[in-house]
Amino acid sequence: MYGAIYSTIQMMEEDMQKNFNLSETDIEVLRQIKQDIPEVNSEVDAVRFLIRRYGKDRKEEVKLNHILDEVSRIRKTLMMDEQNTEIVLDVLNTLLFREKVQEVVLKDEIENPVISKSRENIRNKIAHNKQKKDFRSNLAG
């Protein structure tokens, strides 16, 4: 298991004492941490450092997983948007050819009421989704 060489670390904190049997290799790692990290002055400090570091790493991992989930969701949304844009362009292209439209009416010059209504609908959906997200965030934390 650990071989023939064992070392014992005693940790005393808030009236609690724990004894750990560690191999010489484990002790050497703790000594290396003590040597490399200025605020670590003993093997016990090295163990405490590792425990705190593990806690921080876990929190960062949870945050990173949340970010990766959000990126994945955004990527899927963008992919669907691209597909929908292609469909709309195909439909418009078909209608333009069918109706033999030869001129362009720029939306910046004159916007059709259908487009205006669609924009308003999108703004309302975005506001509604933001309210839902804010509500969930407030519940979570």
Side-chain angles (χ1 to χ4, degrees):
M1 189 156 142
Y2 285 112
I5 302 173
Y6 289 95
S7 294
T8 300
I9 289 186
Q10 292 186 351
M11 297 181 71
M12 297 177 60
E13 190 171 320
E14 299 177 7
D15 299 324
M16 185 186 313
Q17 180 176 345
K18 298 280 184 178
N19 292 319
F20 297 93
N21 290 326
L22 302 171
S23 70
E24 188 59 37
T25 303
D26 295 337
I27 294 298
E28 194 53 46
V29 169
L30 294 177
R31 287 181 183 139
Q32 190 65 48
I33 292 170
K34 185 175 128 181
Q35 185 177 9
D36 293 346
I37 311 293
E39 63 267 17
V40 175
N41 298 315
S42 67
E43 285 87 2
V44 172
D45 285 346
V47 171
R48 288 185 184 122
F49 171 81
L50 291 172
I51 291 168
R52 285 191 302 274
R53 177 78 180 265
Y54 176 80
K56 286 179 186 177
D57 288 352
R58 283 293 300 143
K59 287 179 185 176
E60 288 177 10
E61 183 179 343
V62 168
K63 287 179 185 177
L64 181 60
N65 285 336
H66 178 71
I67 290 169
L68 291 174
D69 289 345
E70 284 293 308
V71 167
S72 176
R73 186 187 63 76
I74 290 169
R75 219 176 97 238
K76 288 177 186 175
T77 300
L78 287 173
M79 194 168 62
M80 290 299 297
D81 287 347
E82 285 180 25
Q83 292 172 357
N84 289 335
T85 299
E86 287 294 318
I87 292 168
V88 170
L89 287 173
D90 287 343
V91 168
L92 285 174
N93 194 47
T94 301
L95 290 173
L96 290 170
F97 272 106
R98 179 191 268 174
E99 299 299 318
K100 296 181 172 61
V101 174
Q102 298 298 316
E103 61 187 67
V104 174
V105 179
L106 300 174
K107 68 163 179 59
D108 292 339
E109 294 174 8
I110 302 173
E111 186 170 85
N112 189 291
V114 172
I115 302 291
S116 299
K117 186 173 181 178
S118 180
R119 286 183 195 282
E120 182 63 29
N121 183 48
I122 289 170
R123 279 193 291 273
N124 290 340
K125 281 183 180 180
I126 290 170
H128 177 74
N129 288 338
K130 184 180 181 328
Q131 286 177 347
K132 283 183 4 185
K133 182 181 176 187
D134 290 347
F135 180 75
R136 284 188 300 236
S137 293
N138 287 338
L139 285 178

